[in-house]
């Protein structure tokens, strides 16, 4: 760094330090370090600032994630009132004699023209998800954006999973609008070995690819016995101070599930 820019930086930092109530106590030491080793002076200031930011972020993350662990009563009541059964969508008596593949074809064809995603989930995967949903009813998933990632909060309630942008939830709590609602229909679980799934999304918030990304992550974290993913679910629920959102981003970058 040339002497002129360095001098300007030192002067700026010094003016900022003067606002500190302890500045007068250490003014001579500060002045001496500025004279003898200006580069070291600036380096120390930079390190202190990084340390301060790190502490703020750590404190914020801990309390921030902890606040998401208890579902709001108003939100769960809203979910309960919106719960629906499969017979409101399909005439079950007309398809109950068809096999699993035929039902899957009918189900996916029905949702092709709607703002929705659909899937057929094997009985075993669904039951594993239900077990984990009881242990870890709330979690976060990242979706890629043009300049990084956006975090989406999910919350289980009976056979539904509700997704809300984290920023919206922080501001509006239980009144935050959902961007995706996934509903599971287990009516054929025992007779056909399948569970029907649909995901209705708000296309002014997320698109079909992003909705599918969230659904894929939901399955991978809750339905697959992956030790690394289960560790993140456990940390988020039981040890939120140890949970790091960057670990989620590393997972999604490794999986590359947006393709």
């Amino acid at each position: 760094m040339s002497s002129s820019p360095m001098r300007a930086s030192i002067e700026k930092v010094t003016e900022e330090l003067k606002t500190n109530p302890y500045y007068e106590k250490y003014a001579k030491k500060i002045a001496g370090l500025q004279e003898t080793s200006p580069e070291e002076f600036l380096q120390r200031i930079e390190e202190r600032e990084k340390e301060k930011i790190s502490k703020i972020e750590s404190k914020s993350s801990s309390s921030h994630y902890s606040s998401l662990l208890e579902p709001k009563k108003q939100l769960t009541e809203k979910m309960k009132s919106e719960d629906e059964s499969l017979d409101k969508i399909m005439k079950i008596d007309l398809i109950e004699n068809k096999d699993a593949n035929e039902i899957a074809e009918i189900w996916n064809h029905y949702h092709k023209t709607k703002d929705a995603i659909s899937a057929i989930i094997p009985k075993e995967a669904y039951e594993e998800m239900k077990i984990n949903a009881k242990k870890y009813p709330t979690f976060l998933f990242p979706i890629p954006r043009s300049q990084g990632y956006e975090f989406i909060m999910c919350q289980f309630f009976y056979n539904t999973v509700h997704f809300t942008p984290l920023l919206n939830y922080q501001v509006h709590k239980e009144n935050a609008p959902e961007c995706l609602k996934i509903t599971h229909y287990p009516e054929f679980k025992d007779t056909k070995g399948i569970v029907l799934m649909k995901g209705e999304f708000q296309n002014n918030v997320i698109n079909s690819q992003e909705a599918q990304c969230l659904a894929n992550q939901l399955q991978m974290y809750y339905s697959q016995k992956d030790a690394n993913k289960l560790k993140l679910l456990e940390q988020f629920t039981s040890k939120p101070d140890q949970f790091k959102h960057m670990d989620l981003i590393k997972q999604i970058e490794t999986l590359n599930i947006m393709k």
Side-chain angles (χ1 to χ4, degrees), residues 15-233:
E15 288 302 313
E16 292 174 355
L17 287 175
K18 286 180 180 179
T19 62
N20 190 305
Y22 296 101
Y23 174 76
E24 291 299 328
K25 183 177 179 180
Y26 299 101
K28 289 185 179 179
K29 289 185 178 180
I30 292 172
L33 186 60
Q34 288 174 343
E35 287 294 326
T36 58
S37 184
E39 290 184 351
E40 182 182 352
F41 169 73
L42 290 176
Q43 184 178 354
R44 287 190 184 184
I45 293 297
E46 184 178 351
E47 288 174 354
R48 288 290 298 274
E49 286 301 310
K50 286 181 179 179
E51 183 180 350
K52 187 195 302 182
I53 292 171
S54 177
K55 286 181 178 179
I56 292 172
E57 288 181 344
S58 175
K59 183 178 179 182
S60 174
S61 294
S62 175
S63 60
H64 162 70
Y65 294 134
S66 297
S67 68
L68 302 179
L69 297 177
E70 291 296 330
K72 303 297 180 180
K73 181 179 178 181
Q74 296 94 325
L75 184 58
T76 55
E77 287 299 320
K78 177 176 181 288
M79 292 174 184
K80 187 175 181 180
S81 67
E82 293 178 352
D83 200 20
E84 63 182 27
S85 58
L86 184 59
D87 58 12
K88 293 182 179 179
I89 303 174
M90 303 178 74
K91 295 181 179 180
I92 296 178
D93 58 326
L94 297 180
I95 63 171
E96 59 186 0
N97 292 326
K98 296 183 181 297
D99 63 29
N101 290 332
E102 290 173 315
I103 293 174
E105 186 177 349
I106 293 170
W107 182 254
N108 289 329
H109 180 74
Y110 174 78
H111 289 95
K112 276 185 178 179
T113 59
K114 302 182 180 299
D115 286 333
I117 57 174
S118 63
I120 307 300
I121 301 173
K123 173 183 176 180
E124 295 76 14
Y126 174 76
E127 290 179 340
E128 182 69 20
M129 181 183 68
K130 293 293 286 184
I131 291 171
N132 287 322
K134 287 182 180 179
K135 296 179 184 177
Y136 319 115
T138 307
F139 197 54
L140 295 178
F141 293 118
I143 54 174
R145 294 298 196 191
S146 58
Q147 296 182 349
Y149 290 87
E150 179 178 7
F151 282 91
I152 308 295
M153 172 187 163
C154 81
Q155 182 176 324
F156 284 83
F157 189 76
Y158 290 113
N159 292 326
T160 59
V161 193
H162 300 255
F163 296 79
T164 303
L166 181 57
L167 290 176
N168 285 352
Y169 185 80
Q170 289 175 319
V171 175
H172 303 291
K173 298 299 181 184
E174 63 271 10
N175 296 315
E178 296 175 349
C179 62
L180 172 66
K181 174 187 173 184
I182 286 180
T183 305
H184 297 98
Y185 300 92
E187 281 84 345
F188 295 118
K189 177 171 68 72
D190 296 323
T191 58
K192 311 292 182 181
I194 60 172
V195 173
L196 306 182
M197 182 277 276
K198 76 169 180 179
E200 300 169 291
F201 60 91
Q202 299 297 321
N203 57 18
N204 62 331
V205 182
I206 61 175
N207 57 37
S208 60
Q209 188 180 25
E210 291 164 339
Q212 190 63 60
C213 174
L214 291 170
N216 290 346
Q217 290 185 78
L218 184 73
Q219 290 298 312
M220 285 185 281
Y221 276 85
Y222 282 85
S223 295
Q224 298 178 9
K225 297 179 181 180
D226 184 305
N228 291 327
K229 294 178 179 60
L230 289 173
K231 180 181 177 182
L232 290 177
L233 289 172

